[in-house]
Amino acid sequence: AGEVRAHLRELRTGHSPWLYRRIVAAGRALLGSGYESLDYDAGQVARARELLATRPCAVVASHRSYLDGGALTAGFARHGLPPLVVFGGLNMAFWPIGSLWRRADGVFIRRGGADAAYRFALRRTVGALLARRRPLQWFVEGTRSRSGGFGEPKLGLLNYVVDAWREGGLDDAQLLPVAIAYDRLREVAEYAAEAAGRPKRRESLGWLWRFVRGQKGRFGHVYVRFGEPVSLRAVLGPPGAFPASNSPAARKATRRLAAAAMTNLARAMPVTGTALVCRTLQHAPEGLSLVELCERVRVVAAAGRAGGLPLVASARFADAAAVEPVVLALVAEGVLERDAQAKLRATRDGAHAVGWYANSIAHHGFAASQASTSA
């Protein structure tokens, strides 16, 4: 009992309106130092508002950047959506961030080495929050995507949500997928360095200061899109019929639930202009002139619109000339260069960035096939 109480203290969270407003302001300022706008879809917001007001809900978000949390916190506040109870790893609980976030809807959890007492405490925490209709939020892949594409969903917190639904008398609970994309992202250079062998930098107050300073610039826009919600009852059946926790049948059912959420998350992932340019270049290893690249990207964008892909403003290329600013921004950042024949291709240091942006839309398929056939 003493162990459980200690774990519950570690998992505690609260809501200070004063502190929450300041965290929202900090997130807004951080995003504003590098991005022109935080773009939400009004119709999706209206549907999410109704869902969050009427159902126990967990927001399962994509994870491409440390900025993702600010994009959700600032965006939810601006659109009148309820504060999210955010689950994060203990690596982010460094002083003074840990003590502040615990007073503003943050819950820090262990990623490994959890004993039975800790798992019991976490299950009780998740169940109590859902019973009070507090919307939960975590990054379903567990860590930021170093490749740009989607990783396998982590099932830990999802298992606790299923247990709370099965044991806590909830008729249903909803998973709300949220996809976040950036026109350009400074962290892509960090991912390239890690791919080349540099160890990941440990989070600390000094690290946070350097990260914030590094976000100054002009990187376009941030886009947040809501996917179709997933009902636990619709996927798993009534709570009373669900198999016992930790049984093979229960694990299989939870994986099916995760797959449904990931499918809807992938469908919602915004397609940016940068991603279209990089995906097109991936299919032209010999390089393309500026005129050729702009024309091919215009064709790919038109095919994406016809196929119903979630193209955002930076990817709605009405003509080839509209592509040029996106290309020139990538040249200015050292991602692309012109060779001796004036062909555009990835720089040696920019090859990982081109792959990262291209991978962010590879799952859509339609744009990829058009890129390869429009040559």
Side-chain angles (χ1 to χ4, degrees):
E3 281 186 274
V4 172
R5 283 195 294 270
H7 294 322
L8 287 171
R9 285 195 297 272
E10 181 182 301
L11 294 165
R12 72 190 185 280
T13 187
H15 180 74
S16 164
W18 180 88
L19 185 56
Y20 175 72
R21 288 194 298 271
R22 276 145 186 82
I23 288 177
V24 168
R28 189 183 300 121
L30 176 60
L31 291 167
S33 69
Y35 294 92
E36 297 174 43
S37 75
L38 179 56
D39 185 302
Y40 278 62
D41 179 275
Q44 292 178 0
V45 167
R47 291 189 291 273
R49 184 180 295 112
E50 181 180 1
L51 180 73
L52 293 167
T54 58
R55 298 285 189 276
C57 193
V59 171
V60 288
S62 64
H63 202 13
R64 301 293 184 265
S65 168
Y66 284 119
L67 297 172
D68 293 340
L72 292 175
T73 300
F76 270 53
R78 189 181 78 185
H79 292 286
L81 298 173
L84 296 166
V85 177
V86 179
F87 287 77
L90 270 176
N91 60 304
M92 296 300 293
F94 55 86
W95 184 89
I97 299 302
S99 60
L100 292 175
W101 280 353
R102 282 191 175 101
R103 294 166 53 204
D105 310 297
V107 179
F108 294 99
I109 61 175
R110 303 177 186 182
R111 286 179 170 168
D115 57 19
Y118 183 84
R119 292 193 296 271
F120 177 81
L122 182 53
R123 185 179 298 111
R124 288 290 300 272
T125 298
V126 169
L129 290 167
L130 282 175
R132 300 199 324 252
R133 297 275 178 89
R134 297 292 307 278
L136 315 183
Q137 185 265 312
W138 69 88
F139 298 113
V140 67
E141 299 157 279
T143 187
R144 294 171 298 154
S145 173
R146 269 55 171 190
S147 68
F150 285 102
E152 289 294 318
K154 304 299 183 186
L155 301 183
L157 277 170
L158 190 56
N159 282 322
Y160 294 120
V161 169
V162 171
D163 285 344
W165 162 74
R166 181 174 62 88
E167 300 170 0
L170 299 175
D171 180 65
D172 197 7
Q174 302 279 327
L175 302 180
L176 179 60
V178 180
I180 309 165
Y182 304 81
D183 277 327
R184 297 185 306 283
L185 187 63
R186 284 291 296 269
E187 283 160 270
V188 175
E190 173 191 331
Y191 302 150
E194 290 180 11
R198 192 189 76 183
K200 177 182 177 291
R201 292 175 178 170
R202 183 180 177 185
E203 293 84 357
S204 65
L205 191 58
W207 162 86
L208 180 60
W209 175 252
R210 290 187 295 272
F211 177 80
V212 170
R213 292 187 64 186
Q215 299 311 308
K216 294 181 180 179
R218 294 266 64 94
F219 307 118
H221 304 264
V222 184
Y223 308 94
V224 179
R225 296 293 183 267
F226 294 90
E228 287 297 316
V230 176
S231 159
L232 268 66
R233 188 181 184 93
V235 175
L236 304 178
F242 193 75
S245 180
N246 292 325
S247 67
R251 290 193 292 271
K252 182 178 180 180
T254 303
R255 285 194 293 270
R256 189 167 70 249
L257 181 67
M262 288 298 295
T263 296
N264 290 359
L265 179 62
R267 287 172 178 164
M269 178 56 69
V271 178
T272 67
T274 300
L276 285 182
V277 167
C278 291
R279 188 69 175 160
T280 303
L281 278 173
Q282 266 199 335
H283 289 268
E286 74 286 356
L288 296 168
S289 70
L290 179 60
V291 172
E292 291 170 334
L293 178 57
C294 289
E295 180 56 29
R296 290 197 189 186
V297 172
R298 184 194 65 78
V299 172
V300 172
R305 286 193 299 274
L309 296 187
L311 273 67
V312 296
S314 68
R316 294 171 190 153
F317 300 125
D319 52 52
V323 184
E324 186 173 350
V326 176
V327 176
L328 295 181
L330 290 170
V331 171
E333 291 182 7
V335 175
L336 303 181
E337 65 181 357
R338 289 184 176 87
D339 62 18
Q341 288 75 44
K343 297 282 190 179
L344 285 159
R345 62 179 73 243
T347 65
R348 189 173 73 172
D349 292 338
H352 187 275
V354 169
W356 192 94
Y357 290 119
N359 287 343
S360 72
I361 62 169
H363 63 278
H364 284 302
F366 191 87
S369 65
Q370 288 296 323
S372 63
T373 60
S374 62

